[in-house]
Amino acid sequence: MACVKPVRVSLGTSLNETHNTSLHRISMSSEEEEASHRPSSVSSLSDSPCSSPPNLHYVGKKEEIVKAGRLTKLLNGCRDVLILYHDRQLYAMDKRCYHSGGELQHGDIEEFNGRLCIVCPWHSYKITLAEGEGLYQAVDDPTKKPPRTHWRSKGVKQRIHKVTEINGDVFVTLNKSCEAIESDFYQTEKYRPVTLKGQPVPKKQ
């Protein structure tokens, strides 16, 4: 009769693999359970102004800004920004005029050549609300009478910032373009104490 050789089964290996698999499953279950109780780091912007990403700066409720017409905010601890509402549109720009640092929140909004501008209360410089361009009246030929004038752009002079509205909350994203813009000069601590001295003195009535 043929001799049947016993087959050796490595129970140790199978038990170890089974043991390791069980531990892995237990470990995964613990991590999943812990994760389910862990607060999520991502939340909807509509929850509260505090949940906004770092690049969005909460400046107020839209209804309050619409009612006020304009307000100023110091954002990121270093940027004085003017937020204004005009003709159903929100705008944001550097608070001080690029020319001499006049505070634009006191300026009138007027239309020149079909473009909405804020007029600096100090020297009547015109700055487009949407682009921050400085506008001026150019004369084609000063020798002709009467002189013919038309509006021209000096290019971007005032730094414009992006405004975002989310569920009635208004946020501003600062324009961090590396390209120098003239209004940047008046956003330094060196200038800020000087503005108080440089402001025009109101005339006595």
Side-chain angles (χ1 to χ4, degrees):
M1 184 173 67
C3 179
V4 178
K5 293 183 180 180
V7 178
R8 182 176 297 175
V9 178
S10 178
L11 294 176
T13 303
S14 300
L15 289 174
N16 286 337
E17 291 176 354
T18 303
H19 180 66
N20 291 338
T21 303
S22 299
L23 288 177
H24 178 69
R25 288 176 179 171
I26 293 171
S27 175
M28 289 294 291
S29 299
S30 300
E31 291 177 359
E32 290 171 358
E33 182 179 358
E34 182 183 352
S36 66
H37 294 290
R38 189 183 304 138
S40 173
S41 59
V42 179
S43 58
S44 172
L45 289 177
S46 60
D47 293 343
S48 70
C50 298
S51 62
S52 62
N55 62 325
L56 289 180
H57 301 276
Y58 175 73
V59 294
K61 292 286 185 182
K62 181 180 179 180
E63 58 184 12
E64 297 172 354
I65 298 174
V66 170
K67 185 177 180 180
R70 56 190 75 182
L71 75 155
T72 60
K73 290 281 185 178
L74 177 63
L75 301 183
N76 210 27
C78 63
R79 201 90 196 175
D80 286 309
V81 175
L82 167 65
I83 304 98
L84 52 89
Y85 177 83
H86 181 80
D87 197 18
R88 300 183 180 180
Q89 184 70 39
L90 287 162
Y91 302 91
M93 62 176 61
D94 281 354
K95 172 184 171 181
R96 296 178 177 86
C97 176
Y98 72 92
H99 173 236
S100 293
E103 299 201 359
L104 295 175
Q105 70 268 29
H106 304 302
D108 294 328
I109 296 177
E110 299 180 31
E111 186 175 304
F112 299 95
N113 198 31
R115 304 178 72 181
L116 284 174
C117 298
I118 190 160
V119 181
C120 179
W122 284 16
H123 306 104
S124 299
Y125 273 58
K126 285 82 173 167
I127 303 167
T128 61
L129 295 180
E131 304 86 8
E133 294 181 22
L135 299 186
Y136 70 102
Q137 272 189 308
V139 178
D140 288 333
D141 187 350
T143 62
K144 290 185 178 180
K145 304 294 181 181
R148 295 180 59 185
T149 62
H150 60 276
W151 289 99
R152 284 186 178 178
S153 172
K154 304 175 185 178
V156 175
K157 300 292 184 177
Q158 198 78 14
R159 191 173 289 271
I160 299 296
H161 308 284
K162 181 181 177 181
V163 182
T164 305
E165 181 198 344
I166 303 172
N167 295 333
D169 292 326
V170 178
F171 301 83
V172 169
T173 303
L174 293 177
N175 177 357
K176 296 183 179 179
S177 169
C178 295
E179 183 179 355
I181 298 176
E182 289 188 31
S183 65
D184 295 343
F185 176 78
Y186 299 102
Q187 292 290 337
T188 62
E189 290 295 334
K190 179 180 179 181
Y191 171 76
R192 282 173 182 164
V194 180
T195 51
L196 298 177
K197 300 176 184 178
Q199 291 178 353
V201 179
K203 295 180 180 179
K204 295 182 180 180
Q205 300 295 333

